[in-house]
């Protein structure tokens, strides 16, 4: 069960991370944050990133073999990277509909899935 909770928390963490890193661009496109000073944009993103850390830290603690979880440190990192890219692709295609996936993006994702396979060997 800890593997399930770890991956679920990593997904939640990466949703917040992607919104913190790129959501302000959508707010700018929509004209909401056009007049916000850069410092306000940074603080807004940090507030979202706080939620990311509230999911990321427990995910790593629950999932790490040294804390009783099923994953090594290397496995946690590779899983996190794959989750990060999958979440980014979904959010980018929902929020920024002009961004399309091309064959090379899919090839890179396949390479990352292979990385997960190899890190578990």
């Amino acid at each position: 069960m800890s593997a399930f909770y770890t991956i679920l928390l990593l997904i939640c963490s990466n949703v917040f991370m992607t919104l913190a890193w790129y959501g302000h661009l959508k707010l700018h496109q929509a004209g909401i944050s056009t007049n916000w000073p850069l410092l306000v944009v940074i603080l807004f993103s940090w507030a979202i990133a706080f939620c990311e850390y509230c999911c990321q830290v427990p995910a790593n603690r629950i999932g790490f073999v040294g804390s009783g979880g099923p994953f090594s440190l290397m496995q946690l990192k590779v899983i996190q990277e794959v989750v990060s890219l999958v979440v980014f692709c979904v959010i980018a295609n929902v929020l920024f509909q002009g961004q399309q996936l091309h064959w090379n993006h899919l090839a890179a994702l396949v390479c990352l899935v292979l990385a997960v396979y190899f890190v578990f060997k």
Side-chain angles (χ1 to χ4, degrees):
M1 237 10 221
S2 61
F4 173 76
Y5 289 129
T6 297
I7 292 170
L8 183 65
L9 284 167
L10 287 174
I11 291 168
C12 291
S13 165
N14 280 282
V15 167
F16 284 118
M17 178 190 70
T18 302
L19 292 175
W21 285 10
Y22 304 106
H24 64 88
L25 299 174
K26 187 61 178 178
L27 291 177
H28 186 47
Q29 271 186 343
I32 296 169
S33 65
T34 306
N35 296 323
W36 291 5
L38 183 57
L39 181 61
V40 172
V41 174
I42 291 169
L43 292 174
F44 178 77
S45 292
W46 276 358
I48 297 170
F50 174 76
C51 298
E52 182 241 337
Y53 279 94
C54 288
C55 295
Q56 180 74 31
V57 171
N60 287 332
R61 178 148 302 185
I62 292 167
F64 182 54
V65 72
S67 300
F71 303 120
S72 71
L73 190 61
M74 189 64 68
Q75 290 169 334
L76 276 171
K77 183 59 183 169
V78 172
I79 292 168
Q80 190 277 327
E81 291 299 330
V82 171
V83 167
S84 178
L85 285 173
V86 170
V87 167
F88 173 79
C89 288
V90 170
I91 289 177
N93 282 306
V94 170
L95 289 182
F96 301 95
Q97 294 179 355
Q99 305 294 313
Q100 295 180 0
L101 289 175
H102 299 287
W103 72 268
N104 57 325
H105 302 133
L106 296 175
L109 186 58
V110 167
C111 289
L112 286 168
V113 171
L114 287 172
V116 171
Y117 171 78
F118 287 121
V119 83
F120 277 89
K121 282 300 196 181

